[in-house]
Amino acid sequence: MTTTTAATAPTAERNLILDYYERLPQAVAALVDDPAPVTEPGAFAPGFALPEPDAAVREFFEPARAQWRELGTYDSHRLVLLDLAGNPGTHTTKTFPSLLIVARAVEYIRRTGEPVMIFTPTSANKGTALRDAVARALAAGLATPDQLRIATLAPASGRSKLRTGGLSEDAELRSRNPLMVYDGERAEDVKALARQFTDTYAADLKRRHGVNLWYSMDLRNYVVADTARAFFEQDADPTDAARPRLHAHAVSSAFGMLGYHAGRDVLEAAGTTSLESRPATLLVQHLGTPDMVLSLRRGSFDRAGLPHYGRGADGLWRQEADPRFPGVTEAVDEILDPTFYTHRPATSPAMNAIITRHGGDGIVISRHECLERYAALRDRTADHPRPLPADPRALREWSLVMALTGVFNAVDRGLVEAGRDVVVHGSGWYADADVRTPAASELVPVSTVEDIAAALL
């Protein structure tokens, strides 16, 4: 195995919103049948219009920066990091769609004078990014605290990934923008609970307080922003059919990869690039929720599709039957990172179709495999301004480590065609030093829809 590392000084940097502001309507047109607002309570959406990019709006969008960084080679593969985690308020790619979501709410408020409360279930990162974006909008004077609010519902299992900030530390803003934590058994139940609250109480919120409740989980709210990944690649390092490429991403529902491919659709329709040069995709997951890889490789989400594991005298579980699943793991249902919590994602059929057409695969990794490679991964990213922590126990967000481990495992096991360039989507990483965890007094514990109503009505 021949491996070289490279200094990770960026070869290109763009603001993925401001630098492609005039192109975003093309993405909306390709993805959204009707971009107009929906005003019905329970189904409210502010439409896809964005504010004019004046000085305040440009200040608001400032964190939407991404970098294209060389990472050396691995075997016959050139490696590139698409660094999407530069915003210090989030350290994840959720920055980009969250800024657009809040900007759309701001534009609706300006046009109508009606207040908007964004409401989302979240494993942690999505909610953190929306709260960061709302705080930025208020600080930039794009809306007042009466006009723009955010309510998030996270599982207790993700508490270590939540962040305090201006919306939490100020008592009045904390009351208007509750950070709710669900203590139920299944983390993913926050989605059903949030949807149930929206269906039951959105009309009451509008009637009693004049507030439009926006349940913001619509896939298009995220995919539109992620089309800019393809636009950036075309500027920084255009694809070439003679040098095939693979994009790798640690995923739960693969919103980011769906957005990237939607961006490719826009570019190819405009004749800016060719269908023949479209990169393949590698989905990376963990054993807690391997659903997209199971769907891709087995045609079903059923965990019966996992290979059989045998437990050794050292307590570790092993298998050699399928290279797409961990060879060694501490537990066959291991939760490596609670961010990746979606079972039976509705996005799987679309992602399966993309991989069937354009190539790629899926791979599941374990904590044991990540730790075996951790020192090498840290060396690989040592020149980054925010390197991986020396002690992996300090790591709170594993997306980048998962993606890199998945790539190296896939190469070693012959799952990646020789000679392909590999672009690793650095969708998130942060450690203890990057996060101020909210105090208990900053959280609102909830168990039922009625508890949410008590916090919001």
Side-chain angles (χ1 to χ4, degrees), residues 122-177:
T122 177
S123 60
N125 292 337
K126 189 184 292 96
T128 292
L130 281 167
R131 290 175 66 83
D132 180 69
V134 167
R136 290 191 63 83
L138 298 180
L142 301 184
T144 69
D146 289 332
Q147 294 173 320
L148 178 63
R149 298 162 61 188
I150 170 74
T152 58
L153 178 62
S157 61
R159 181 173 173 179
S160 68
K161 305 187 77 168
L162 300 176
R163 299 188 182 208
T164 193
L167 297 185
S168 299
E169 294 168 340
D170 179 274
E172 183 176 351
L173 290 177
R174 182 167 65 245
S175 175
R176 292 178 180 275
N177 302 277

Side-chain angles (χ1 to χ4, degrees), residues 154-209:
S157 61
R159 181 173 173 179
S160 68
K161 305 187 77 168
L162 300 176
R163 299 188 182 208
T164 193
L167 297 185
S168 299
E169 294 168 340
D170 179 274
E172 183 176 351
L173 290 177
R174 182 167 65 245
S175 175
R176 292 178 180 275
N177 302 277
L179 180 52
M180 295 176 285
V181 176
Y182 172 65
D183 58 4
E185 183 177 343
R186 288 188 353 125
E188 196 180 4
D189 286 347
V190 295
K191 296 179 182 179
L193 197 63
R195 182 70 259 180
Q196 185 182 355
F197 172 82
T198 302
D199 293 341
T200 304
Y201 285 102
D204 280 353
L205 193 63
K206 182 64 181 287
R207 182 176 60 254
R208 292 166 58 180
H209 302 288

Side-chain angles (χ1 to χ4, degrees), residues 104 123 163 236 303 337 413-414 426:
R104 289 163 54 198
S123 60
R163 299 188 182 208
R303 290 182 68 90
D337 188 319
R413 298 170 189 176

